[in-house]
Amino acid sequence: MHRQQIALVRKGDVEVSEPSPPTLEEAGGSYLLATRTLMMYRAAVAVYVVVITLVQLRTMGTFVIKYYTFWNWNLLGLYFAAAALASSTYARASGKGQHTSNVSPTMTSRLMHSLPSVVTLLFHVNITTVAIVDITTWTVLFPMLTKHTTPEMAAVFRSMFLNYVSYNQHGANAGLILVDMMLGRLAFFPHMVGYAGLWSLLFVAWANIWHGISGSWLYPFLDTKETWAPLAYGGLYLAHIVFYLAVWGSFWLRGRLLWEQMLAQSRPSRVSDQPGVSVRAAAGRQQQANGAHGLSLDTQTGGKKGL
């Protein structure tokens, strides 16, 4: 998982961009909060996800495990647990005066060394699928289940969706991860839309396996016998791209809103200590990593310019 960084290394008269993996600073740090405060928020959300899951299993039973909502809710908890660990590791590294832009395996385990990449991947999958789950649930699934059935079954489905657990899994989940995006330093990787698609493809494969075993579909819009099935599957595929572009826009907006904080807390030393890399280029890398594509940096005056 690499991205083309803005920081450029001069080789003769040619500036060549070099790939760079996600850093622990990006995965664990914050522009607005102390790192330990961000860690506590992420840890609290991870615990909250576990509590809601236990409540759901106790009240509804284990049959919910087979549904996409359950998968995504717990994937969200996994992200927040990994992100809290990244923030904790980054806080400890900062306290020890280590160069935290890329903590070496000699300081932590090999798992800790790959943690920024894991956190970044989980974030991109979650922030895309959260939007798909919430919007599909309330605009497609809920109307289908409550309007095209008997009054008795409609009442059953309403009780399944209109409750505290459902409101968390089909609404509050988006708020939790959007707050994390605004507070954190995670960079946006356009190519990771593929991982979000693979996650959903994995569930579609499971849904077809379940249909083969039980003879029923987990969701009515997955029924391949319906004439509109190609449109349903194609629409879900396109939804990943649409929502991923919306995520890109959210990062751009974050860059606009938090420009001053990003500029004040940018760390040119993370690349400017490399031969031939300028402070301007280092700050530019920080700019792109946070989606602020509509702004440029004047390092001579410290001002902003619109491109």
Side-chain angles (χ1 to χ4, degrees):
M1 291 180 295
H2 291 74
R3 68 180 176 281
Q4 291 300 111
Q5 66 183 41
I6 287 291
L8 300 176
V9 179
R10 288 188 176 277
K11 295 183 178 181
D13 294 329
V14 180
E15 291 185 333
V16 182
S17 62
E18 295 188 344
S20 173
T23 67
L24 185 60
E25 182 179 17
E26 291 167 344
S30 172
Y31 289 111
L32 300 176
L33 301 175
T35 303
R36 294 189 185 278
T37 304
L38 178 62
M39 177 197 68
M40 288 188 289
Y41 168 74
R42 288 171 161 177
V45 173
V47 172
Y48 184 70
V49 169
V50 172
V51 171
I52 293 297
T53 297
L54 293 176
V55 170
Q56 184 180 30
L57 291 173
R58 183 175 180 179
T59 57
M60 302 186 68
T62 56
F63 85 95
V64 297
I65 295 175
K66 61 180 178 283
Y67 290 104
Y68 192 59
T69 294
F70 186 89
W71 286 32
N72 279 283
W73 177 251
N74 286 278
L75 187 70
L76 184 69
L78 180 61
Y79 161 72
F80 275 104
L85 182 58
S87 294
S88 176
T89 305
Y90 176 56
R92 292 197 304 271
S94 300
K96 294 179 181 179
Q98 301 289 338
H99 188 269
T100 55
S101 63
N102 202 357
V103 177
S104 68
T106 58
M107 176 183 166
T108 59
S109 68
R110 188 175 298 275
L111 177 61
M112 292 300 100
H113 187 58
S114 61
L115 183 60
S117 295
V118 173
V119 170
T120 303
L121 187 152
L122 287 173
F123 174 83
H124 282 71
V125 173
N126 271 287
I127 200 169
T128 304
T129 56
V130 156
I132 293 173
V133 166
D134 293 356
I135 293 177
T136 302
T137 295
W138 299 116
T139 63
V140 178
L141 185 59
F142 184 72
M144 288 182 70
L145 293 176
T146 56
K147 293 182 179 180
H148 304 287
T149 186
T150 64
E152 292 77 12
M153 288 304 300
V156 171
F157 288 128
R158 286 193 183 93
S159 67
M160 291 176 60
F161 286 97
L162 304 179
N163 59 72
Y164 183 76
V165 170
S166 176
Y167 296 149
N168 276 275
Q169 296 180 339
H170 302 113
N173 55 348
L176 293 172
I177 199 166
L178 285 173
V179 168
D180 186 83
M181 185 201 75
M182 293 300 295
L183 295 178
R185 294 192 180 195
L186 282 168
F188 180 77
F189 291 74
H191 72 275
M192 284 193 177
V193 65
Y195 292 104
L198 286 174
W199 171 253
S200 295
L201 182 63
L202 177 63
F203 179 80
V204 169
W206 156 246
N208 280 269
I209 292 173
W210 175 261
H211 176 259
I213 296 172
S214 66
S216 62
W217 289 98
L218 293 173
Y219 297 105
F221 52 79
L222 294 179
D223 190 347
T224 55
K225 294 180 181 179
E226 297 291 346
T227 56
W228 40 259
L231 292 177
Y233 280 85
L236 289 173
Y237 174 78
L238 291 177
H240 285 77
I241 299 176
V242 171
F243 288 124
Y244 205 72
L245 291 175
V247 171
W248 197 340
S250 298
F251 272 88
W252 176 85
L253 180 61
R254 184 186 72 172
R256 300 284 293 191
L257 294 175
L258 303 182
W259 170 263
E260 296 297 338
Q261 289 85 347
M262 290 178 180
L263 184 61
Q265 298 182 41
S266 63
R267 299 172 62 88
S269 60
R270 65 194 295 186
V271 287
S272 62
D273 56 358
Q274 302 173 12
V277 181
S278 66
V279 172
R280 178 186 180 93
R285 178 179 184 273
Q286 187 73 20
Q287 178 185 355
Q288 183 184 13
N290 291 280
H293 302 293
L295 302 174
S296 65
L297 176 66
D298 185 346
T299 54
Q300 301 299 320
T301 63
K304 303 191 288 292
K305 295 180 181 179
L307 293 180

